[in-house]
Every structure is written in structure tokens, then in C-alpha cells.
Amino acid sequence: MSSAEYVLVTGATGFIGAHVVDVLLSRGLRIRGATRSPAKGKAMRDARPQHADRLDFVQIADFSEPSSLTEAVKGVDAIIHVASPFTYDTKDNEKELIIPAINGVKGILAAAAATKTVKRVVVTSSFASVLDADRKERANGVYFTYTGADWNPLTYEESVAPTTSAVIAYRGSKKFAEKAAWDFVAENKPAFDLVTLCPPMTFGPVAHPVATPAELNESNAMLWKVATGEKPLPVARVPFWIDVRDLAQAHVEALLRPEAGGKRYIPASPERFSYGRAAQIVVDHFAWSRESVVPEDQPVDESHGVDGATAAKALGLDYKTFEQTVVDLVGQAKKMEEKK
Ligand SMILES: NC(=O)c1ccc[n+]([C@@H]2O[C@H](COP(=O)([O-])OP(=O)(O)OC[C@H]3O[C@@H](n4cnc5c(N)ncnc54)[C@H](OP(=O)(O)O)[C@@H]3O)[C@@H](O)[C@H]2O)c1
């Protein structure tokens, strides 16, 4: 589609969603943000007084409750569905991660299909729904590259098993939610088309209401741990990442470019990262960090790659450097801390 005017963004008060809102606003579109918390919606709006006439919020208390979804999709011509639980601090993975992720996608798509107006839905999936954690071993040292054709082979049973870690269960939540989206479109042939984005770890400055570094989202919290001298340094499970500003642009281009319809993209920087490299960047740029942060030469996994080039070409992305991303987030978080 190329002519969206009014876009529903779920998860609009979150790390990625708020940047998506800002890119849409900068393109002159009208946005309805969805949140469980009207207070967070108000905070997002109050922080953008110049856009008050093009930004409203709707409450979706529960994605499995069709009535609020019907209200939320009324009158919009496109949807960017970002909302999904992203936390590793869980007691019951199926209840807290997997079911809400799947219900969110199913609920939004069913509500969208019941309208005549929605022409495209973009779903924020994750590299977690692409990654096959055992593939390296099977490749026997032969280099391979992940593409948008790859799917995480996790089964639902493995994802929800009580012995499964929240990290693995989160991967399941993203796989089964994204799969539900593609299945919905194949089975129901709605009037809209679907684009899914599968970004890896996403870092960068925040645009959503965050007052202190303790409130940072899961991925940025890792960089802040590095900047505050956590020892030992965290170890990246996957060496791939993207800046949140590039990812927000990817969402908006995925929404507006007609030829993106029906595609699954992996927006990802060609540069690999490690938390050791993040520590070196912090020390190089911030004198206040030098007493506590000790950079480490962490090995970076070069055994396989990811195809971020297809998304870059199709969506017109020019990936930021890891250095810029770390400096922008850490500088911002430090200012928040000083204001406390
Ligand atoms: N950050 C990353 O590294 C990364 C990488 C790849 C993919 N992703 C995906 O990107 C999306 C956004 O992640 P984020 O990093 O921006 O996380 P975030 O800051 O935690 O934002 C997630 C948003 O989703 C909503 N949400 C969370 N749990 C929910 C639930 N149980 N029911 C309904 N809404 C819920 C929340 O909105 P309200 O509280 O306002 O309702 C929240 O603002 C997720 O789909 C995540 O899987 C993130």
C-alpha cells in the first residue's frame, strides 16, 4: 500500500513502538496508539504536544477481548502490531509470554479482517523466530547465512515445558505468534496483506516514557549493565543487532511500500556486536565510566551470518554503526540517572 493515512500502532508506548510512532508522525500520518495503560498513552501524547491533533490512544486491556479490538481498529487503514511481552523475568512462560503473544496477533488480525478499511498489517516478529540454536553444530564448521526463509524449529511443547528457560520460551512466543499471523492470512484471505519483520537484538536511544535507567526495556538494559561496570560482562547469545531508529524506519517502509506485501524481512546491521565491544565504546566515549568499566576482548561468533541486506535494499535502510547506537543510548541513560 502507498497511501495510509490513519495507522493503529500497538505497543506504541514501548521501546520500538514509540520510535515507530515518531517516524509515522514525521511522515505526516495520523496515529492511534494502543496500550493497556491509559496513563502511558497520556505520557506519550504529552511528550509530543506539537502532534496532539494527529496522535490519539486507545486502551486494549486484553488482546483476547474482541470488543476493545473492534474499537481500536475502527477507521484505520493500516496496522503496525508491535505489542508483545518481551521480558525474561517470568514465573509462568506460557501464561506470561507465549499465550499473550499469540492472542495478540490472532486478535488484531481477526479485528482487522472484520473491517473493510485495513489494507496492510505489519507485525513485529523477531530473529528469535528465525534462529535455529543447533544449526551451527549441524553445519560442521561450514559458514551459513540466515534469511527470511528460515524458521526456528522449536516445538510448542518444548517452548512451554516448565524446565524451559524464559529465553527459549520467548523464542517460542515469537515463532508461534508470527506463524499464527501467516496461517491467518493463508486461511482467511483477508482484504489486507501482511509483512513481518524479524529483527535481532535492538538497541538505541529511547523515545517512550522512561524516567530512570532502571525502567529501560530488556535489550537496552543489557547495554546499561555494561556501562555501569557489571562484571563479568554479559555474553551475547547471537552477534546480530539493529539500531531502533533503523528498525522504526523499516516498519514504516514495510507499511508504505506496495511491493513489501507478503514478505518476511530480517532488518539487521551487517556489523556484529559483543558486550565487550560495547564496553570499549563506553570507555572510549565516557570519562565517567573509566573507573568501573573494563573492556574485554570477547570472541565474536563469525561461524554464520544474517541477511540484513535484502531488507536494506527493499526498505531503503542505511544501518547505523554500533558505536553510534551505544553512545546515543548510554549518553541518554546517564542524563536520566543524573536527573534522578
Ligand atoms: N527490543 C528488542 O531487542 C527486540 C528485538 C526483536 C524483536 N522485538 C519485538 O519488538 C516488540 C517490542 O519490543 P520492545 O523492545 O519495544 O519491548 P517493550 O518496550 O517492552 O514494549 C512492548 C510493548 O508491548 C506491550 N505489551 C507487553 N506485554 C504485553 C501483553 N502481555 N499484552 C499486551 N501488550 C503487551 C506493552 O505496551 P503497554 O504496556 O502500553 O500495553 C509494551 O509497551 C516485541 O514484539 C518484541 O518481541 C524486540
Side-chain angles (χ1 to χ4, degrees):
M1 72 183 294
S2 54
S3 61
E5 283 172 14
Y6 195 13
V7 183
L8 173 68
V9 180
T10 70
T13 68
F15 170 50
I16 294 169
H19 279 277
V20 170
V21 166
D22 285 342
V23 176
L24 290 168
L25 285 171
S26 75
R27 302 282 184 96
L29 280 82
R30 229 174 115 204
I31 293 105
R32 179 183 292 155
T35 175
R36 289 166 300 177
S37 149
K40 280 206 241 168
K42 184 175 179 312
M44 274 285 293
R45 224 168 153 252
D46 289 350
R48 291 158 179 78
Q50 72 281 28
H51 296 306
D53 58 335
R54 286 196 288 119
L55 178 59
D56 62 282
F57 270 85
V58 65
Q59 183 180 19
I60 302 179
D62 183 349
F63 278 109
S64 55
E65 173 41 62
S67 63
S68 61
L69 293 174
T70 306
E71 266 317 293
V73 300
K74 203 176 265 173
V76 301
D77 42 20
I79 299 174
I80 302 185
H81 179 54
V82 185
S84 204
F86 181 21
T87 173
Y88 298 141
D89 182 14
T90 56
K91 291 196 176 64
D92 181 334
N93 291 330
E94 187 174 23
K95 217 160 112 192
E96 294 167 58
L97 294 175
I98 298 168
I99 291 175
I102 297 171
N103 283 349
V105 165
K106 284 187 172 170
I108 279 290
L109 294 194
T115 72
K116 296 270 176 292
T117 54
V118 174
K119 299 289 183 299
R120 175 161 294 172
V121 180
V122 178
V123 170
T124 315
S125 186
S126 170
F127 185 69
S129 89
V130 174
L131 173 80
D132 175 350
D134 298 327
R135 190 167 168 189
K136 270 190 291 188
E137 281 69 50
R138 288 198 308 277
N140 275 329
V142 177
Y143 188 89
F144 63 90
T145 303
Y146 282 107
T147 72
D150 292 311
W151 281 89
N152 184 337
L154 263 183
T155 64
Y156 192 86
E157 290 65 34
E158 285 165 337
S159 313
V160 300
T163 48
T164 296
S165 70
V167 171
I168 307 291
Y170 169 74
R171 291 178 186 164
S173 80
K174 298 307 290 181
K175 171 190 174 170
F176 292 106
E178 188 191 348
K179 204 169 167 307
W182 288 113
D183 288 350
F184 183 94
V185 169
E187 284 159 23
N188 297 282
K189 309 204 170 21
F192 59 81
D193 59 11
L194 176 70
V195 187
T196 63
L197 299 179
C198 301
M201 280 299 265
T202 306
F203 301 115
V206 299
H208 63 303
V210 172
T212 69
E215 295 166 33
L216 284 172
N217 59 293
E218 192 73 39
S219 50
N220 274 333
M222 300 296 284
L223 286 185
W224 185 242
K225 280 182 189 172
V226 171
T228 49
E230 178 161 296
K231 291 182 192 68
L233 283 176
V235 176
R237 293 183 188 91
V238 173
F240 311 128
W241 70 284
I242 183 170
D243 183 283
V244 67
R245 293 160 288 189
D246 294 335
L247 181 57
Q249 196 196 328
H251 279 78
V252 175
E253 296 300 337
L255 187 83
L256 297 177
R257 295 191 181 210
E259 62 280 12
K263 306 265 170 51
R264 182 177 192 241
Y265 293 114
I266 307 178
S269 162
E271 192 186 350
R272 279 155 221 257
F273 89 99
S274 72
Y275 291 108
R277 166 110 180 87
Q280 186 62 55
I281 294 167
V282 170
V283 165
D284 289 347
H285 286 266
F286 299 104
W288 52 260
S289 72
R290 287 177 199 144
E291 284 202 352
S292 59
V293 179
V294 183
E296 255 175 50
D297 201 7
Q298 288 181 330
V300 176
D301 194 343
E302 302 277 354
S303 66
H304 60 291
V306 65
D307 169 27
T310 299
K313 190 157 177 256
L315 305 175
L317 309 176
D318 183 12
Y319 296 118
K320 291 192 172 36
T321 63
F322 190 57
E323 182 169 23
Q324 183 181 346
T325 303
V326 171
V327 168
D328 290 352
L329 181 267
V330 171
Q332 183 190 30
K334 181 67 178 171
K335 281 197 190 119
M336 280 180 209
E337 192 191 53
E338 285 165 357
K339 265 203 217 149
K340 266 197 304 195

